[in-house]
Amino acid sequence: PGKVFLFYGGRATKPSPKYNAGAVVEIKYYGLGLGAALVEEVDDDPGIPHMPPHHFRTISEVKAMPYGSIVDVRGIILSCTNVTTVHIKKTDEKKAKRNYTIIDETDVIEVAVWDDKARESVITPVVAETRPVATLKSARLVEFNDGSLVAGDHTIVQVNPDILEVDTIRDWWERQSAGLGVHECQNDNGLQADVIDLMSN
């Protein structure tokens, strides 16, 4: 669970999408007011939401948006890789990476997570086998594979959170998989996943 803090002496401003993508507000401390600045941890208040509300878009809507867009999505987890090591030639760095794939009523999309996010991911191959619902808040759309998502430092990833949109997509998946069966296929990018007929209701 998160912690609750009181902020004194700062100025609340609109966050910069370039430096603080996905944030709702920034609190800045500067100038002569620094002497009066105070950040204090307090007891949790059940009335305070633990995170901003989601503004979910379908995967097909996301893929039609400009690259670099910050989006909220939810879908069934179809597959997940183990953590691999990727060599970045440009910087000569080695980075940990994990990929997983989610599906909703409209399309399928791949999600990449890097470094500590990959190593500490709540989504793993074992979790993916149960076909849970994943929600991503503030994921970034990138050009790779004709449109995929990156779950960065500001992205909040949850599995089966207690929200209405999770129940809706789970009900859809259960109807689809029960009525049509699930089969494995490979798309043009070589991504293997269990998929179903998206055109059926």
Side-chain angles (χ1 to χ4, degrees):
K3 295 183 178 181
V4 178
F5 294 86
L6 289 178
F7 295 84
Y8 300 93
R11 180 181 178 184
T13 64
K14 184 177 180 180
S16 166
K18 181 177 180 180
Y19 298 106
N20 205 358
V24 176
V25 67
E26 288 180 350
I27 300 178
K28 297 182 178 179
Y29 295 92
Y30 50 84
L32 298 177
L34 284 175
L38 175 65
V39 179
E40 178 183 2
E41 184 177 353
V42 296
D43 292 335
D44 194 2
D45 182 347
I48 300 176
H50 285 183
M51 63 180 294
H54 292 86
H55 299 285
F56 290 116
R57 294 180 180 271
T58 66
I59 293 174
S60 63
E61 288 175 335
V62 167
K63 287 187 173 183
M65 296 174 69
Y67 296 131
S69 296
I70 304 299
V71 298
D72 299 350
V73 295
R74 91 284 187 261
I76 301 294
I77 304 171
L78 290 179
S79 62
C80 179
T81 67
N82 290 311
V83 176
T84 60
T85 300
V86 178
H87 180 216
I88 309 298
K89 292 183 179 180
K90 186 175 181 179
T91 60
D92 198 29
E93 292 179 284
K94 291 184 178 180
K95 289 179 169 286
K97 183 184 182 185
R98 186 193 298 273
N99 294 326
Y100 49 87
T101 308
I102 61 173
I103 185 173
D104 71 1
E105 306 95 322
T106 65
D107 209 338
V108 180
I109 197 165
E110 187 176 37
V111 182
V113 287
W114 295 85
D115 298 324
D116 288 343
K117 279 271 190 180
R119 288 184 285 265
E120 301 168 6
S121 175
V122 296
I123 299 175
T124 65
V126 173
V127 170
E129 288 179 359
T130 66
R131 298 293 187 267
V133 179
T135 62
L136 284 75
K137 180 160 189 63
S138 301
R140 180 165 54 91
L141 179 66
V142 296
E143 190 173 356
F144 183 72
N145 273 352
D146 295 324
S148 59
L149 295 173
V150 173
D153 291 339
H154 296 285
T155 306
I156 300 174
V157 180
Q158 295 178 291
V159 175
N160 291 332
D162 186 17
I163 57 177
L164 176 62
E165 292 86 352
V166 167
D167 294 334
T168 302
I169 190 71
R170 184 185 293 113
D171 289 346
W172 166 81
W173 173 257
E174 290 177 353
R175 291 196 307 271
Q176 294 291 312
S177 55
L180 298 171
V182 181
H183 60 277
E184 185 178 89
C185 78
Q186 188 172 44
N187 67 13
D188 293 338
N189 296 315
L191 178 64
Q192 287 191 347
D194 292 336
V195 299
I196 57 179
D197 183 359
L198 290 170
M199 301 304 294
S200 300
N201 295 320

mmCIF file of all heavy atoms in Angstrom, residues 129-168:
data_model
loop_
_atom_site.group_PDB
_atom_site.id
_atom_site.type_symbol
_atom_site.label_atom_id
_atom_site.label_comp_id
_atom_site.label_asym_id
_atom_site.label_seq_id
_atom_site.Cartn_x
_atom_site.Cartn_y
_atom_site.Cartn_z
ATOM 1 N N GLU A 129 -0.167 -17.703 -17.409
ATOM 2 C CA GLU A 129 -0.845 -18.976 -17.682
ATOM 3 C C GLU A 129 -2.281 -18.987 -17.171
ATOM 4 O O GLU A 129 -3.120 -19.729 -17.680
ATOM 5 C CB GLU A 129 -0.064 -20.126 -17.047
ATOM 6 C CG GLU A 129 1.247 -20.444 -17.755
ATOM 7 C CD GLU A 129 2.001 -21.572 -17.070
ATOM 8 O OE1 GLU A 129 1.489 -22.076 -16.037
ATOM 9 O OE2 GLU A 129 3.078 -21.950 -17.560
ATOM 10 N N THR A 130 -2.587 -18.162 -16.174
ATOM 11 C CA THR A 130 -3.941 -18.129 -15.606
ATOM 12 C C THR A 130 -4.862 -17.185 -16.365
ATOM 13 O O THR A 130 -6.038 -17.074 -16.025
ATOM 14 C CB THR A 130 -3.889 -17.708 -14.130
ATOM 15 O OG1 THR A 130 -3.447 -16.339 -14.032
ATOM 16 C CG2 THR A 130 -2.939 -18.601 -13.341
ATOM 17 N N ARG A 131 -4.339 -16.487 -17.384
ATOM 18 C CA ARG A 131 -5.110 -15.535 -18.193
ATOM 19 C C ARG A 131 -5.815 -14.482 -17.318
ATOM 20 O O ARG A 131 -7.023 -14.265 -17.440
ATOM 21 C CB ARG A 131 -6.141 -16.254 -19.059
ATOM 22 C CG ARG A 131 -5.544 -17.222 -20.062
ATOM 23 C CD ARG A 131 -4.747 -16.479 -21.143
ATOM 24 N NE ARG A 131 -4.322 -17.398 -22.187
ATOM 25 C CZ ARG A 131 -3.161 -18.037 -22.213
ATOM 26 N NH1 ARG A 131 -2.292 -17.853 -21.235
ATOM 27 N NH2 ARG A 131 -2.853 -18.848 -23.198
ATOM 28 N N PRO A 132 -5.074 -13.780 -16.465
ATOM 29 C CA PRO A 132 -5.698 -12.731 -15.661
ATOM 30 C C PRO A 132 -5.871 -11.455 -16.481
ATOM 31 O O PRO A 132 -5.434 -11.366 -17.635
ATOM 32 C CB PRO A 132 -4.682 -12.520 -14.541
ATOM 33 C CG PRO A 132 -3.369 -12.784 -15.212
ATOM 34 C CD PRO A 132 -3.638 -13.905 -16.192
ATOM 35 N N VAL A 133 -6.501 -10.459 -15.877
ATOM 36 C CA VAL A 133 -6.642 -9.147 -16.502
ATOM 37 C C VAL A 133 -5.524 -8.245 -15.990
ATOM 38 O O VAL A 133 -5.267 -8.175 -14.784
ATOM 39 C CB VAL A 133 -8.003 -8.515 -16.173
ATOM 40 C CG1 VAL A 133 -8.120 -7.133 -16.829
ATOM 41 C CG2 VAL A 133 -9.138 -9.419 -16.632
ATOM 42 N N ALA A 134 -4.860 -7.562 -16.911
ATOM 43 C CA ALA A 134 -3.846 -6.579 -16.543
ATOM 44 C C ALA A 134 -4.365 -5.186 -16.864
ATOM 45 O O ALA A 134 -5.020 -4.976 -17.890
ATOM 46 C CB ALA A 134 -2.548 -6.826 -17.302
ATOM 47 N N THR A 135 -4.094 -4.234 -15.984
ATOM 48 C CA THR A 135 -4.373 -2.829 -16.272
ATOM 49 C C THR A 135 -3.051 -2.073 -16.251
ATOM 50 O O THR A 135 -2.210 -2.301 -15.384
ATOM 51 C CB THR A 135 -5.339 -2.212 -15.246
ATOM 52 O OG1 THR A 135 -4.747 -2.240 -13.940
ATOM 53 C CG2 THR A 135 -6.659 -2.968 -15.225
ATOM 54 N N LEU A 136 -2.873 -1.195 -17.225
ATOM 55 C CA LEU A 136 -1.674 -0.367 -17.310
ATOM 56 C C LEU A 136 -2.100 1.091 -17.315
ATOM 57 O O LEU A 136 -2.905 1.504 -18.159
ATOM 58 C CB LEU A 136 -0.875 -0.657 -18.581
ATOM 59 C CG LEU A 136 -0.037 -1.936 -18.626
ATOM 60 C CD1 LEU A 136 -0.920 -3.157 -18.813
ATOM 61 C CD2 LEU A 136 0.986 -1.856 -19.753
ATOM 62 N N LYS A 137 -1.595 1.841 -16.366
ATOM 63 C CA LYS A 137 -1.853 3.279 -16.327
ATOM 64 C C LYS A 137 -0.588 4.018 -16.722
ATOM 65 O O LYS A 137 0.475 3.792 -16.164
ATOM 66 C CB LYS A 137 -2.304 3.728 -14.936
ATOM 67 C CG LYS A 137 -2.563 5.223 -14.890
ATOM 68 C CD LYS A 137 -3.432 5.633 -13.747
ATOM 69 C CE LYS A 137 -3.830 7.094 -13.906
ATOM 70 N NZ LYS A 137 -4.639 7.325 -15.119
ATOM 71 N N SER A 138 -0.706 4.885 -17.715
ATOM 72 C CA SER A 138 0.398 5.727 -18.185
ATOM 73 C C SER A 138 1.495 4.914 -18.864
ATOM 74 O O SER A 138 2.687 5.093 -18.588
ATOM 75 C CB SER A 138 0.987 6.559 -17.036
ATOM 76 O OG SER A 138 0.006 7.384 -16.458
ATOM 77 N N ALA A 139 1.098 4.002 -19.745
ATOM 78 C CA ALA A 139 2.059 3.324 -20.615
ATOM 79 C C ALA A 139 2.307 4.202 -21.839
ATOM 80 O O ALA A 139 1.464 5.017 -22.218
ATOM 81 C CB ALA A 139 1.532 1.958 -21.036
ATOM 82 N N ARG A 140 3.470 4.029 -22.468
ATOM 83 C CA ARG A 140 3.836 4.873 -23.611
ATOM 84 C C ARG A 140 3.786 4.065 -24.903
ATOM 85 O O ARG A 140 4.338 2.970 -24.988
ATOM 86 C CB ARG A 140 5.233 5.466 -23.407
ATOM 87 C CG ARG A 140 5.708 6.369 -24.545
ATOM 88 C CD ARG A 140 6.906 7.196 -24.100
ATOM 89 N NE ARG A 140 7.964 6.359 -23.563
ATOM 90 C CZ ARG A 140 8.959 5.855 -24.298
ATOM 91 N NH1 ARG A 140 9.022 6.112 -25.592
ATOM 92 N NH2 ARG A 140 9.894 5.118 -23.733
ATOM 93 N N LEU A 141 3.118 4.620 -25.909
ATOM 94 C CA LEU A 141 3.033 3.979 -27.219
ATOM 95 C C LEU A 141 4.304 4.276 -28.011
ATOM 96 O O LEU A 141 4.710 5.431 -28.139
ATOM 97 C CB LEU A 141 1.814 4.501 -27.980
ATOM 98 C CG LEU A 141 1.594 3.932 -29.386
ATOM 99 C CD1 LEU A 141 1.258 2.449 -29.326
ATOM 100 C CD2 LEU A 141 0.486 4.704 -30.104
ATOM 101 N N VAL A 142 4.932 3.217 -28.544
ATOM 102 C CA VAL A 142 6.155 3.375 -29.331
ATOM 103 C C VAL A 142 5.962 2.720 -30.695
ATOM 104 O O VAL A 142 5.019 1.960 -30.921
ATOM 105 C CB VAL A 142 7.376 2.766 -28.609
ATOM 106 C CG1 VAL A 142 7.653 3.502 -27.308
ATOM 107 C CG2 VAL A 142 7.181 1.275 -28.353
ATOM 108 N N GLU A 143 6.886 3.006 -31.608
ATOM 109 C CA GLU A 143 6.748 2.573 -32.996
ATOM 110 C C GLU A 143 7.095 1.111 -33.200
ATOM 111 O O GLU A 143 6.683 0.501 -34.193
ATOM 112 C CB GLU A 143 7.646 3.451 -33.875
ATOM 113 C CG GLU A 143 7.433 3.274 -35.363
ATOM 114 C CD GLU A 143 8.219 4.278 -36.183
ATOM 115 O OE1 GLU A 143 8.878 5.157 -35.582
ATOM 116 O OE2 GLU A 143 8.175 4.185 -37.423
ATOM 117 N N PHE A 144 7.837 0.506 -32.292
ATOM 118 C CA PHE A 144 8.324 -0.864 -32.459
ATOM 119 C C PHE A 144 7.167 -1.820 -32.742
ATOM 120 O O PHE A 144 6.114 -1.759 -32.109
ATOM 121 C CB PHE A 144 9.071 -1.297 -31.192
ATOM 122 C CG PHE A 144 9.687 -2.657 -31.275
ATOM 123 C CD1 PHE A 144 10.796 -2.883 -32.068
ATOM 124 C CD2 PHE A 144 9.149 -3.721 -30.564
ATOM 125 C CE1 PHE A 144 11.372 -4.147 -32.146
ATOM 126 C CE2 PHE A 144 9.710 -4.979 -30.627
ATOM 127 C CZ PHE A 144 10.827 -5.191 -31.427
ATOM 128 N N ASN A 145 7.365 -2.728 -33.704
ATOM 129 C CA ASN A 145 6.346 -3.717 -34.082
ATOM 130 C C ASN A 145 5.042 -3.063 -34.540
ATOM 131 O O ASN A 145 3.946 -3.563 -34.263
ATOM 132 C CB ASN A 145 6.060 -4.690 -32.930
ATOM 133 C CG ASN A 145 7.011 -5.867 -32.937
ATOM 134 O OD1 ASN A 145 7.795 -6.048 -33.867
ATOM 135 N ND2 ASN A 145 6.972 -6.666 -31.887
ATOM 136 N N ASP A 146 5.161 -1.920 -35.228
ATOM 137 C CA ASP A 146 3.975 -1.213 -35.736
ATOM 138 C C ASP A 146 3.014 -0.816 -34.618
ATOM 139 O O ASP A 146 1.795 -0.804 -34.801
ATOM 140 C CB ASP A 146 3.236 -2.065 -36.778
ATOM 141 C CG ASP A 146 4.066 -2.291 -38.030
ATOM 142 O OD1 ASP A 146 4.796 -1.359 -38.422
ATOM 143 O OD2 ASP A 146 3.986 -3.392 -38.605
ATOM 144 N N GLY A 147 3.576 -0.498 -33.479
ATOM 145 C CA GLY A 147 2.764 -0.054 -32.352
ATOM 146 C C GLY A 147 2.806 -1.024 -31.198
ATOM 147 O O GLY A 147 2.199 -2.091 -31.250
ATOM 148 N N SER A 148 3.573 -0.684 -30.168
ATOM 149 C CA SER A 148 3.623 -1.489 -28.951
ATOM 150 C C SER A 148 3.743 -0.529 -27.773
ATOM 151 O O SER A 148 3.876 0.685 -27.950
ATOM 152 C CB SER A 148 4.797 -2.472 -28.985
ATOM 153 O OG SER A 148 6.031 -1.787 -29.124
ATOM 154 N N LEU A 149 3.685 -1.067 -26.571
ATOM 155 C CA LEU A 149 3.700 -0.236 -25.372
ATOM 156 C C LEU A 149 4.958 -0.476 -24.556
ATOM 157 O O LEU A 149 5.504 -1.579 -24.548
ATOM 158 C CB LEU A 149 2.474 -0.533 -24.501
ATOM 159 C CG LEU A 149 1.110 -0.175 -25.096
ATOM 160 C CD1 LEU A 149 -0.007 -0.682 -24.189
ATOM 161 C CD2 LEU A 149 0.983 1.324 -25.309
ATOM 162 N N VAL A 150 5.392 0.571 -23.864
ATOM 163 C CA VAL A 150 6.479 0.461 -22.894
ATOM 164 C C VAL A 150 5.920 0.842 -21.530
ATOM 165 O O VAL A 150 5.306 1.899 -21.372
ATOM 166 C CB VAL A 150 7.656 1.379 -23.261
ATOM 167 C CG1 VAL A 150 8.695 1.378 -22.139
ATOM 168 C CG2 VAL A 150 8.294 0.940 -24.570
ATOM 169 N N ALA A 151 6.109 -0.033 -20.559
ATOM 170 C CA ALA A 151 5.730 0.263 -19.182
ATOM 171 C C ALA A 151 6.956 0.841 -18.487
ATOM 172 O O ALA A 151 7.880 0.111 -18.130
ATOM 173 C CB ALA A 151 5.243 -1.000 -18.473
ATOM 174 N N GLY A 152 6.982 2.156 -18.330
ATOM 175 C CA GLY A 152 8.148 2.836 -17.783
ATOM 176 C C GLY A 152 8.047 3.073 -16.291
ATOM 177 O O GLY A 152 7.205 2.494 -15.593
ATOM 178 N N ASP A 153 8.908 3.969 -15.798
ATOM 179 C CA ASP A 153 8.969 4.238 -14.359
ATOM 180 C C ASP A 153 7.653 4.777 -13.809
ATOM 181 O O ASP A 153 7.327 4.558 -12.636
ATOM 182 C CB ASP A 153 10.095 5.229 -14.060
ATOM 183 C CG ASP A 153 11.475 4.630 -14.297
ATOM 184 O OD1 ASP A 153 11.580 3.391 -14.293
ATOM 185 O OD2 ASP A 153 12.433 5.401 -14.494
ATOM 186 N N HIS A 154 6.904 5.513 -14.638
ATOM 187 C CA HIS A 154 5.659 6.119 -14.164
ATOM 188 C C HIS A 154 4.438 5.235 -14.430
ATOM 189 O O HIS A 154 3.323 5.614 -14.076
ATOM 190 C CB HIS A 154 5.452 7.481 -14.828
ATOM 191 C CG HIS A 154 6.489 8.492 -14.464
ATOM 192 N ND1 HIS A 154 6.517 9.127 -13.244
ATOM 193 C CD2 HIS A 154 7.557 8.966 -15.148
ATOM 194 C CE1 HIS A 154 7.545 9.956 -13.200
ATOM 195 N NE2 HIS A 154 8.192 9.876 -14.337
ATOM 196 N N THR A 155 4.647 4.090 -15.062
ATOM 197 C CA THR A 155 3.522 3.218 -15.384
ATOM 198 C C THR A 155 3.119 2.384 -14.172
ATOM 199 O O THR A 155 3.971 1.795 -13.510
ATOM 200 C CB THR A 155 3.880 2.274 -16.548
ATOM 201 O OG1 THR A 155 4.354 3.047 -17.652
ATOM 202 C CG2 THR A 155 2.663 1.474 -16.983
ATOM 203 N N ILE A 156 1.830 2.346 -13.898
ATOM 204 C CA ILE A 156 1.298 1.511 -12.817
ATOM 205 C C ILE A 156 0.661 0.281 -13.449
ATOM 206 O O ILE A 156 -0.281 0.392 -14.235
ATOM 207 C CB ILE A 156 0.269 2.278 -11.971
ATOM 208 C CG1 ILE A 156 0.916 3.516 -11.342
ATOM 209 C CG2 ILE A 156 -0.313 1.366 -10.887
ATOM 210 C CD1 ILE A 156 -0.065 4.412 -10.617
ATOM 211 N N VAL A 157 1.197 -0.885 -13.121
ATOM 212 C CA VAL A 157 0.702 -2.151 -13.667
ATOM 213 C C VAL A 157 0.043 -2.939 -12.539
ATOM 214 O O VAL A 157 0.648 -3.153 -11.486
ATOM 215 C CB VAL A 157 1.848 -2.975 -14.286
ATOM 216 C CG1 VAL A 157 1.307 -4.287 -14.854
ATOM 217 C CG2 VAL A 157 2.566 -2.175 -15.371
ATOM 218 N N GLN A 158 -1.194 -3.362 -12.769
ATOM 219 C CA GLN A 158 -1.914 -4.156 -11.777
ATOM 220 C C GLN A 158 -2.496 -5.397 -12.435
ATOM 221 O O GLN A 158 -2.803 -5.395 -13.630
ATOM 222 C CB GLN A 158 -3.039 -3.331 -11.143
ATOM 223 C CG GLN A 158 -2.559 -2.143 -10.319
ATOM 224 C CD GLN A 158 -3.716 -1.332 -9.768
ATOM 225 O OE1 GLN A 158 -4.429 -0.672 -10.514
ATOM 226 N NE2 GLN A 158 -3.909 -1.391 -8.463
ATOM 227 N N VAL A 159 -2.647 -6.437 -11.637
ATOM 228 C CA VAL A 159 -3.258 -7.683 -12.100
ATOM 229 C C VAL A 159 -4.545 -7.904 -11.320
ATOM 230 O O VAL A 159 -4.540 -7.927 -10.087
ATOM 231 C CB VAL A 159 -2.300 -8.876 -11.912
ATOM 232 C CG1 VAL A 159 -2.996 -10.184 -12.275
ATOM 233 C CG2 VAL A 159 -1.050 -8.690 -12.761
ATOM 234 N N ASN A 160 -5.645 -8.026 -12.053
ATOM 235 C CA ASN A 160 -6.972 -8.256 -11.473
ATOM 236 C C ASN A 160 -7.349 -7.243 -10.391
ATOM 237 O O ASN A 160 -7.829 -7.623 -9.310
ATOM 238 C CB ASN A 160 -7.071 -9.673 -10.898
ATOM 239 C CG ASN A 160 -7.070 -10.738 -11.965
ATOM 240 O OD1 ASN A 160 -7.507 -10.507 -13.091
ATOM 241 N ND2 ASN A 160 -6.577 -11.920 -11.625
ATOM 242 N N PRO A 161 -7.169 -5.941 -10.637
ATOM 243 C CA PRO A 161 -7.625 -4.972 -9.637
ATOM 244 C C PRO A 161 -9.149 -4.975 -9.549
ATOM 245 O O PRO A 161 -9.839 -5.375 -10.494
ATOM 246 C CB PRO A 161 -7.102 -3.634 -10.173
ATOM 247 C CG PRO A 161 -7.022 -3.835 -11.647
ATOM 248 C CD PRO A 161 -6.608 -5.269 -11.830
ATOM 249 N N ASP A 162 -9.671 -4.518 -8.441
ATOM 250 C CA ASP A 162 -11.114 -4.556 -8.192
ATOM 251 C C ASP A 162 -11.784 -3.316 -8.779
ATOM 252 O O ASP A 162 -12.170 -2.392 -8.061
ATOM 253 C CB ASP A 162 -11.372 -4.650 -6.686
ATOM 254 C CG ASP A 162 -12.847 -4.852 -6.364
ATOM 255 O OD1 ASP A 162 -13.600 -5.232 -7.282
ATOM 256 O OD2 ASP A 162 -13.244 -4.618 -5.203
ATOM 257 N N ILE A 163 -11.916 -3.292 -10.109
ATOM 258 C CA ILE A 163 -12.592 -2.196 -10.789
ATOM 259 C C ILE A 163 -13.517 -2.772 -11.851
ATOM 260 O O ILE A 163 -13.319 -3.893 -12.328
ATOM 261 C CB ILE A 163 -11.599 -1.198 -11.430
ATOM 262 C CG1 ILE A 163 -10.657 -1.913 -12.403
ATOM 263 C CG2 ILE A 163 -10.803 -0.462 -10.366
ATOM 264 C CD1 ILE A 163 -9.712 -0.970 -13.120
ATOM 265 N N LEU A 164 -14.536 -1.995 -12.232
ATOM 266 C CA LEU A 164 -15.574 -2.480 -13.136
ATOM 267 C C LEU A 164 -15.009 -2.925 -14.477
ATOM 268 O O LEU A 164 -15.433 -3.948 -15.036
ATOM 269 C CB LEU A 164 -16.618 -1.379 -13.354
ATOM 270 C CG LEU A 164 -17.742 -1.695 -14.352
ATOM 271 C CD1 LEU A 164 -18.558 -2.892 -13.872
ATOM 272 C CD2 LEU A 164 -18.639 -0.471 -14.538
ATOM 273 N N GLU A 165 -14.052 -2.172 -15.013
ATOM 274 C CA GLU A 165 -13.520 -2.493 -16.337
ATOM 275 C C GLU A 165 -12.840 -3.860 -16.372
ATOM 276 O O GLU A 165 -12.784 -4.503 -17.422
ATOM 277 C CB GLU A 165 -12.538 -1.412 -16.785
ATOM 278 C CG GLU A 165 -13.166 -0.063 -17.078
ATOM 279 C CD GLU A 165 -13.319 0.799 -15.843
ATOM 280 O OE1 GLU A 165 -13.067 0.293 -14.723
ATOM 281 O OE2 GLU A 165 -13.689 1.973 -15.993
ATOM 282 N N VAL A 166 -12.330 -4.299 -15.247
ATOM 283 C CA VAL A 166 -11.720 -5.629 -15.171
ATOM 284 C C VAL A 166 -12.792 -6.705 -15.298
ATOM 285 O O VAL A 166 -12.636 -7.691 -16.025
ATOM 286 C CB VAL A 166 -10.936 -5.789 -13.856
ATOM 287 C CG1 VAL A 166 -10.576 -7.252 -13.611
ATOM 288 C CG2 VAL A 166 -9.676 -4.939 -13.898
ATOM 289 N N ASP A 167 -13.909 -6.520 -14.604
ATOM 290 C CA ASP A 167 -15.002 -7.491 -14.698
ATOM 291 C C ASP A 167 -15.543 -7.565 -16.121
ATOM 292 O O ASP A 167 -15.859 -8.649 -16.627
ATOM 293 C CB ASP A 167 -16.130 -7.103 -13.738
ATOM 294 C CG ASP A 167 -15.710 -7.199 -12.282
ATOM 295 O OD1 ASP A 167 -14.787 -7.986 -11.987
ATOM 296 O OD2 ASP A 167 -16.291 -6.484 -11.447
ATOM 297 N N THR A 168 -15.619 -6.419 -16.787
ATOM 298 C CA THR A 168 -16.161 -6.379 -18.149
ATOM 299 C C THR A 168 -15.295 -7.165 -19.118
ATOM 300 O O THR A 168 -15.794 -7.985 -19.904
ATOM 301 C CB THR A 168 -16.281 -4.918 -18.621
ATOM 302 O OG1 THR A 168 -17.118 -4.195 -17.723
ATOM 303 C CG2 THR A 168 -16.870 -4.854 -20.026
#
